[in-house]
Amino acid sequence: MTVDDRATNEPSTPRPASTGPLQGLRVIEMGQLVAGPFCGQILGDLGAEVIKLEQPGTGDPLREWGRTRPQGESLWWSVVGRNKKSVTVNLRTPEGQGIARTLISRSDIVVENFRPGTLERWGLGYDTLAADNPGLILARVSGFGQTGPYSSRAGYGSIGEAMGGLRYVVGDPSTPPSRVGISIGDTLAAVFAAIGTLGAVYERTRSGRGQVVDSAIYEAVLGIMESIVPEWVISGYQRERSGAILPNVAPSNVYPTADGGWVLIAANQNTVFARLAEAMGMPELATDPQFSTHGARGERQEQLDAMVGKFTVQHDARALEELLLAHSVPVGKIYRPEDMLGDEQFIARKSIITTPHPTLGEVPMQNTFPRLSRTDGSVRWPGPALSEHTDEVLTVVGEFTRDAIDAFRADGII
């Protein structure tokens, strides 16, 4: 479907126009929380029109998430819900399913992260939807994928992180397996779903046909786990938790500074290590057989880290950073949001932008990534109010009459 095939009525509330590369694609998002909606966020950031279907009265549970909720607003929702239109529809009713089917028939992509089989129970399986819209692409994010003996299990991101191998290698070796402090399993599955969706969109230009994109959380995690599988099968080597280091890669660690801070120094390559040794005032280390090669440094990793730490703790973080940068040694402070907001690189590239919110004023958040030179993505508005766009979408996209919309609302369908 192309943009020319659709209704062109202007929405009642003007909004910044999309200039991104996916302008002209329409997405129906039927997921909730993170795994599906982050895929929708990516597509929306890149310019697609994303219409989010939510349960009347409650909406996406993410609207209630977050450690702080100033003025009752979820800051997490303001990010993940950005660039989306909120439409409430009860998908557990035949009437709501009919509304969804109408909207989907006039769209390019559906994103969902319900337990496998849910759409089929609602009469919204891919075969049914594709009969109305053969070019439809259905991106499905779930814990274990749409097939296999585990497919019907409830699958949270944390479980996928555990089964995909990530949890085992995260943390200090003296503690049980740790977690990354964000929903990394969910977001990885969403990123892979977005990549697969874009691949399906491109393939559709040749075949004219849509398809299902099946992104499993545990497989998304497994997909980034480097060489852990062949290392075990071929070499019998099991990676273990190693804290802030990678075993036998040195020096590459977090080191203390005189002002109580921390910096990360990555100087494990031979030429870079020579420059670090020069900055430390110990240029002889670069030619010392105990440290001159990657293997030798790895064998003496603990000893070398202690030497580097003894050097770094003599300098304040800023002075240390300036010294190492002058020697072309990769170095970076351990940033928190307050550090990001004042950093000249973040400012120059507008890595963090603000977008107006009707209740909170200007809300800062991360920009869209990656950057495109001609048709860059954009943040056009933050997460919308629940049902903010119901009437607009049902009128413009669904072409329902005013009387029909009023009847849906009276019956609790929307």
Side-chain angles (χ1 to χ4, degrees):
M1 179 178 292
T2 66
V3 71
D4 296 330
D5 297 324
R6 307 182 186 127
T8 57
N9 306 53
E10 290 294 324
S12 55
T13 304
R15 297 181 189 86
S18 164
T19 58
L22 300 187
Q23 182 181 11
L25 289 180
R26 178 176 292 144
V27 179
I28 303 297
E29 180 188 299
M30 302 174 73
Q32 58 184 14
L33 297 177
V34 180
F38 189 68
C39 175
Q41 178 193 326
I42 293 171
L43 300 177
D45 286 354
L46 291 173
E49 177 189 16
V50 180
I51 298 170
K52 182 175 181 63
L53 305 187
E54 302 185 73
Q55 179 69 15
T58 56
D60 191 325
L62 195 68
R63 291 177 176 274
E64 304 297 321
W65 281 30
R67 290 290 299 273
T68 63
R69 299 183 68 244
Q71 301 185 58
E73 298 287 342
S74 166
L75 297 175
W76 200 341
W77 166 251
S78 70
V79 177
V80 177
R82 70 192 192 186
N83 294 331
K84 300 177 184 179
K85 298 178 179 180
S86 172
V87 172
T88 50
V89 56
N90 188 346
L91 295 174
R92 293 169 176 81
T93 65
E95 296 85 355
Q97 293 156 10
I99 292 173
R101 188 167 174 176
T102 296
L103 297 177
I104 292 168
S105 71
R106 301 172 184 189
S107 301
D108 300 279
I109 299 162
V110 172
V111 176
E112 65 96 7
N113 66 315
F114 300 118
R115 190 181 296 195
T118 300
L119 287 189
E120 287 74 12
R121 289 196 303 273
W122 291 343
L124 298 173
Y126 184 73
D127 290 345
T128 299
L129 300 176
D132 298 334
N133 183 359
L136 181 69
I137 294 160
L138 174 59
R140 314 192 75 169
V141 186
S142 61
F144 301 99
Q146 302 298 311
T147 60
Y150 296 172
S151 61
S152 62
R153 291 185 182 182
Y156 279 36
S158 56
I159 306 301
E161 292 164 23
M163 294 182 65
L166 181 63
R167 287 291 182 101
Y168 187 79
V169 300
V170 173
D172 189 86
S174 65
T175 66
S178 299
R179 73 168 298 159
V180 178
I182 58 173
S183 305
I184 189 69
D186 289 319
T187 52
L188 282 172
V191 170
F192 276 102
I195 293 170
T197 296
L198 297 179
V201 169
Y202 179 73
E203 192 280 335
R204 190 178 65 174
T205 64
R206 299 194 301 270
S207 68
R209 299 172 57 197
Q211 58 186 304
V212 175
V213 177
D214 183 358
S215 180
I217 296 174
Y218 85 95
E219 289 177 331
V221 173
L222 177 63
I224 66 158
M225 292 305 296
E226 300 174 351
S227 58
I228 62 164
V229 172
E231 284 173 355
W232 169 252
V233 174
I234 296 175
S235 304
Y237 173 68
Q238 171 63 59
R239 291 200 200 184
E240 301 289 341
R241 291 182 294 287
S242 55
I245 66 168
L246 287 176
N248 303 112
V249 178
S252 183
N253 205 340
V254 177
Y255 302 95
T257 62
D259 52 353
W262 298 91
V263 295
L264 196 147
I265 299 173
N268 47 288
Q269 291 187 13
N270 290 345
T271 55
V272 181
F273 178 68
R275 296 198 294 269
L276 172 62
E278 182 72 30
M280 293 171 62
M282 305 172 69
E284 67 277 6
L285 291 179
T287 55
D288 186 333
Q290 295 187 89
F291 304 109
S292 60
T293 67
H294 177 82
R297 290 191 297 275
E299 290 175 5
R300 298 166 179 83
Q301 185 166 30
E302 187 174 345
Q303 177 187 355
L304 183 56
D305 276 341
M307 295 170 65
V308 176
K310 186 177 180 179
F311 156 70
T312 63
V313 80
Q314 300 176 43
H315 304 272
D316 289 347
R318 180 171 292 278
L320 177 64
E321 185 179 34
E322 291 176 353
L323 172 62
L324 294 181
L325 289 176
H327 285 80
S328 297
V329 175
V331 59
K333 292 183 289 186
I334 306 297
Y335 274 14
R336 295 168 296 177
E338 62 180 306
D339 303 301
M340 301 174 190
L341 291 168
D343 186 276
E344 60 183 356
Q345 177 71 10
F346 282 68
I347 294 170
R349 285 180 58 85
K350 299 182 179 178
S351 301
I352 295 175
I353 50 88
T354 60
T355 186
H357 188 285
T359 303
L360 301 174
E362 295 290 330
V363 176
M365 64 181 68
Q366 54 269 46
N367 207 338
T368 63
F369 315 115
R371 303 296 174 76
L372 280 70
S373 62
R374 289 191 299 104
T375 57
D376 202 11
S378 62
V379 179
R380 300 178 295 284
W381 61 84
L386 182 62
S387 196
E388 181 177 339
H389 305 94
T390 298
D391 286 31
E392 172 194 323
V393 169
L394 294 190
T395 301
V396 176
V397 181
E399 298 182 351
F400 291 100
T401 66
R402 181 74 262 169
D403 288 345
I405 295 172
D406 290 342
F408 289 144
R409 183 166 284 115
D411 293 338
I413 306 302
I414 61 173

